């Protein structure tokens, strides 16, 4: 019999929580560590649609990339969306675990997975870890690395289009501009543009950035490619569900089928 605690130990080994950013909320966030687990759903974000999905499919644990709760809550009621979702999950005895930025930053985590898809070499963190032993292990926030040969931005994006299931991609530079040294921050990474510049990257791949961060990238000569927050991370949740199914063959694991890119193309 596999318990929530067994999954917690597995996930903390996969993505040690000390790698999480200081502002983050990671680990087991909801539920009983001694509860048996027979069915797991992975999700990028907990939303009403996949709470329905988890309950209908009798999940015992949701492994969500984005934490719920994220910010401290003074009360848990149906008057707020986070409160309503938490009430429904607790009523259904569904535990919630989030590795979030620990999984972004770990070896083999989301940022490294994107670097591997691009076959980058000499890969290292954009920002070294806060603790000396993390720095010694070459662990920290984001990733940067080099292409073996320069490549046009349009070619670079094509390497990611199928594995990340990219529908639309935005860039601040011309498609035929050459890329050589790449910075990567999955999700909302625009605030790390200064680290990308410090690392002498000519190209920055992230999920989303603000208008002014896009302008700063242009002024700095950095080609900013916006993959969408959803696409830059959801692929890894699908991969995680496959890995968990292999490692816990007695448990049924699936990646949420109902969550989707929140914005649509008109």
């Amino acid at each position: 019999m596999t318990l929530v605690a067994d999954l917690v130990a597995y996930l903390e080994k996969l993505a040690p929580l000390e790698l999480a950013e200081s502002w983050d909320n990671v680990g087991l966030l909801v539920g009983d560590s001694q509860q048996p687990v027979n069915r797991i759903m992975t999700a990028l974000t907990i939303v009403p649609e996949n709470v329905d999905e988890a309950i209908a499919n009798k999940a015992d644990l949701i492994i969500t990339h984005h934490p719920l709760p994220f910010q401290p809550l003074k009360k848990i009621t149906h008057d707020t969306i986070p409160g309503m979702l938490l009430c429904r999950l607790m009523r259904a005895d569904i535990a919630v675990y989030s590795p979030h930025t620990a999984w972004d930053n770990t070896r083999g985590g989301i940022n490294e997975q994107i670097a591997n898809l691009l076959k980058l070499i000499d890969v290292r963190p954009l920002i070294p870890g806060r603790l000396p032993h993390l720095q010694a292990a070459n662990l920290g926030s984001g990733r940067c690395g080099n292409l073996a040969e320069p490549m046009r931005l349009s070619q670079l994006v094509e390497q990611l289009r199928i594995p990340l299931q990219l529908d639309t991609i935005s860039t601040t530079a011309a498609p035929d501009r050459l890329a050589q040294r790449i910075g990567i921050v999955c999700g909302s990474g625009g605030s790390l543009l200064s680290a990308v510049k410090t690392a002498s990257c000519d190209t920055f791949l992230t999920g989303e950035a603000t208008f002014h961060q896009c302008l700063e990238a242009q002024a700095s000569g950095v080609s900013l490619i916006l993959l969408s927050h959803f696409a830059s991370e959801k692929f890894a949740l699908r991969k995680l569900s496959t890995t968990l199914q292999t490692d816990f063959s007695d448990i049924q694991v699936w990646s949420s089928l109902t969550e989707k890119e929140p914005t649509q193309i008109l």
Side-chain angles (χ1 to χ4, degrees):
M1 181 173 62
T2 303
L3 304 178
V4 169
D6 299 320
L7 271 302
V8 168
Y10 173 93
L11 292 163
E12 288 185 357
K13 184 176 181 180
L14 184 72
L17 300 185
E18 64 182 353
L19 288 170
E21 303 296 340
S22 59
W23 46 261
D24 207 357
N25 187 32
V26 292
L28 182 63
L29 305 181
V30 175
D32 178 1
S33 65
Q34 298 307 302
Q35 176 179 311
V37 177
N38 295 301
R39 297 168 70 83
I40 299 173
M41 183 179 78
T42 68
L44 179 60
T45 307
I46 294 177
V47 294
E49 291 79 7
N50 59 22
V51 169
D52 291 342
E53 180 184 0
I55 293 172
N57 289 281
K58 296 180 168 50
D60 303 297
L61 171 66
I62 296 176
I63 300 172
T64 177
H65 192 53
H66 299 138
L68 182 72
F70 179 46
Q71 301 292 348
L73 300 174
K74 291 185 177 181
K75 58 183 179 180
I76 301 175
T77 71
H78 280 239
D79 295 334
T80 66
I81 291 175
M84 177 269 290
L85 296 174
L86 289 168
C87 284
R88 295 191 64 205
L89 292 169
M90 289 186 287
R91 190 181 302 122
D93 285 330
I94 298 175
V96 175
Y97 185 96
S98 171
H100 202 205
T101 54
W103 194 30
D104 293 343
N105 298 339
T106 193
R107 184 164 288 110
I110 299 181
N111 289 315
E112 268 193 21
Q113 289 181 42
I114 297 174
N116 291 339
L117 289 170
L118 295 173
K119 298 181 172 59
L120 298 188
I121 55 178
D122 300 324
V123 176
R124 65 174 181 82
L126 271 175
I127 301 174
R130 299 188 304 273
L131 303 174
H133 70 279
L134 297 179
Q135 297 172 17
N138 202 29
L139 290 169
S141 304
R143 290 295 185 270
C144 63
N146 301 311
L147 293 165
E149 298 289 340
M151 162 183 316
R152 292 193 300 272
L153 295 183
S154 58
Q155 295 174 298
L156 184 76
V157 168
E158 285 306 312
Q159 294 194 31
L160 300 175
R161 192 179 295 276
I162 292 175
L164 270 60
Q165 298 184 13
L166 295 170
D167 292 323
T168 60
I169 304 101
S170 301
T171 178
T172 61
D176 60 352
R177 186 169 181 176
L178 291 179
Q180 174 80 69
R181 183 162 175 78
I182 316 298
I184 299 169
V185 181
C186 63
S188 183
S191 62
L192 294 188
L193 177 59
S194 60
V196 169
K197 293 190 292 183
T198 298
S200 301
C201 296
D202 54 65
T203 304
F204 181 21
L205 290 172
T206 188
E208 60 179 331
T210 67
F211 173 78
H212 291 287
Q213 288 161 352
C214 291
L215 291 178
E216 182 182 350
Q218 281 186 323
S220 304
V222 175
S223 302
L224 179 59
I225 298 175
L226 304 179
L227 304 171
S228 97
H229 195 132
F230 182 88
S232 73
E233 296 177 332
K234 174 62 178 179
F235 79 99
L237 276 302
R238 289 188 286 263
K239 184 176 179 180
L240 177 61
S241 67
T242 301
T243 301
L244 286 165
Q245 187 66 82
T246 300
D247 293 345
F248 294 89
S249 57
D250 58 326
I251 297 175
Q252 183 175 349
V253 188
W254 78 99
S255 187
S256 174
L257 300 172
T258 55
E259 67 176 352
K260 58 186 179 181
E261 178 71 59
T263 58
Q264 303 297 314
I265 303 169
L266 296 178

